[in-house]
Amino acid sequence: MASTADHKASVIDGKAVAQTIRSEIAAEVQQLFKKYGKVPGLAVVIVGTRKDSQSYVNMKRKACAEVGIKSVDVDLPEQVSEDELIQKVHELNATPDVHGILVQLPLPKHINEEKVLSEISIDKDVDGFHPLNIGKLAMKGREPLFQPCTPKGCLELLSRSGITIKGKRAVVVGRSNIVGLPVSLLLLKADATVTVVHSHTPNPESIIREADIVIAAAGQAMMIKGDWIKPGAAVIDVGTNAVDDPSKKSGYRLVGDIDYKEACKVAGWVTPVPGGVGPMTVAMLLKNTLDGAKYKMEH
């Protein structure tokens, strides 16, 4: 037993990887500008004043500025009608300098998210949520124009850490449209054997224990314990959950879906929260926008 007591998983530094990717993107944006006299443009649409949404949007807009992507800011009031929002999306679809359109979710209750997202032009769907993009992602031999940012970021972390996916057993915890479902499809495309565990799965731990790769996106604080993890497994934690912490000025701290301290003693690789998947999501959004612009300018 002594050996496990000293074991330390390699921590995958998502912040550092994302920074590397941003530098690569900034260089490519420069090249596009030299060649075509234009830079990629990303429209970031936010409805209402939700604190968390605002901070995500500010982060995305700042990240654009950092790599030289022009961000087109669209801030709409909480009470905007569904029709007005769709009208705005159509305007952005028709704007040639906008290569990507992002509508920050969640939208207010009176607006049908599905309806709005399917109005985004498929070649500007940098979030990768258009049903046609998800549909192509699900089909063998088809490629979506864009892969959803968080799932794409998870796979990028694995590949840049030198972790093989092909032939491995992967377990995805959670089946949301934003992470769980698309990340399971990406893993399948990369030739993993994939199981999706969700709220109706009996004894999830017995399934998770067999995984070489675990991607946790359930939104349940520290749900996955250290002894659920196969020794040496790669563990990607997408969860960000606020738990009470009186020692912090804010009164809370962020934790993932995995018990990080315990996981470090067993896993081969593990991503921290914060500083793991989060920064990658934004980096992939910039990458999708760059790719969309490149495609437009070259064709």
Side-chain angles (χ1 to χ4, degrees), residues 146-159:
F146 300 104
Q147 297 173 357
C149 302
T150 302
K152 183 178 171 135
C154 292
L155 269 81
E156 192 73 27
L157 282 178
L158 292 170
S159 78

Side-chain angles (χ1 to χ4, degrees), residues 7-299:
H7 176 82
K8 282 295 281 172
S10 306
V11 175
I12 299 175
D13 185 343
K15 229 170 153 174
V17 177
Q19 207 42 63
T20 305
I21 292 169
R22 283 183 184 201
S23 318
E24 295 167 4
I25 293 168
E28 282 208 60
V29 168
Q30 284 280 294
Q31 284 175 323
L32 278 186
F33 185 66
K34 273 202 188 111
K35 202 167 166 190
Y36 301 101
K38 282 195 277 203
V39 297
L42 174 66
V44 183
V45 182
I46 183 171
V47 179
T49 53
R50 264 182 73 128
K51 275 274 181 290
D52 57 344
S53 293
Q54 295 233 305
S55 81
Y56 289 138
V57 160
N58 290 335
M59 200 162 67
K60 289 167 185 175
R61 288 171 176 168
K62 229 178 86 187
C64 282
E66 203 184 291
V67 297
I69 291 174
K70 179 176 179 287
S71 109
V72 177
D73 302 348
V74 181
D75 295 74
L76 300 168
E78 181 83 26
Q79 49 303 343
V80 72
S81 73
E82 185 174 276
D83 287 348
E84 286 173 283
L85 176 54
I86 287 173
Q87 187 51 48
K88 194 74 219 173
V89 167
H90 288 169
E91 254 170 62
L92 295 166
N93 283 342
T95 306
D97 294 344
V98 168
H99 302 97
I101 300 169
L102 176 142
V103 176
Q104 184 63 43
L105 303 180
L107 290 168
K109 293 275 179 281
H110 67 279
I111 295 176
N112 177 340
E113 253 170 38
E114 187 185 342
K115 207 171 155 191
V116 173
L117 294 180
S118 58
E119 291 294 330
I120 294 173
S121 167
I122 185 159
D123 55 358
K124 297 189 180 190
D125 172 39
V126 285
D127 252 338
F129 294 153
H130 192 290
L132 201 49
N133 272 328
I134 296 275
K136 285 187 170 185
L137 182 61
M139 293 169 85
K140 210 173 164 182
R142 306 270 173 103
E143 284 301 327
L145 282 168
F146 300 104
Q147 297 173 357
C149 302
T150 302
K152 183 178 171 135
C154 292
L155 269 81
E156 192 73 27
L157 282 178
L158 292 170
S159 78
R160 289 195 185 228
S161 305
I163 296 157
T164 314
I165 300 176
K166 193 176 182 160
K168 293 290 196 285
R169 297 198 68 161
V171 171
V172 177
V173 187
R175 53 173 169 180
S176 72
N177 289 337
I178 292 178
V179 186
L181 174 77
V183 86
S184 67
L185 297 173
L186 277 177
L187 288 162
L188 208 49
K189 260 207 195 316
D191 298 324
T193 302
V194 184
T195 309
V196 180
V197 164
H198 49 78
S199 55
H200 295 278
T201 306
N203 341 324
E205 60 272 40
S206 61
I207 298 172
I208 295 168
R209 274 194 195 106
E210 300 197 339
D212 305 304
I213 296 169
V214 179
I215 300 201
Q220 297 282 322
M222 296 172 60
M223 159 196 159
I224 297 169
K225 307 295 171 210
D227 63 1
W228 294 21
I229 294 166
K230 177 179 177 176
V235 179
I236 306 285
D237 195 346
V238 186
T240 35
N241 312 290
V243 297
D244 294 335
D245 185 345
S247 74
K248 291 266 192 281
K249 200 170 84 179
S250 58
Y252 69 89
R253 65 190 160 95
L254 290 180
V255 299
D257 290 350
I258 292 165
D259 188 324
Y260 181 76
K261 273 205 182 74
E262 286 186 20
C264 280
K265 297 174 188 163
V266 194
W269 296 265
V270 65
T271 61
V273 175
V277 175
M280 292 299 291
T281 298
V282 180
M284 294 300 108
L285 171 66
L286 300 172
K287 180 87 172 82
N288 278 351
T289 304
L290 168 69
D291 291 345
K294 238 161 63 175
Y295 186 81
K296 264 282 191 309
M297 291 176 195
E298 287 164 4
H299 288 75

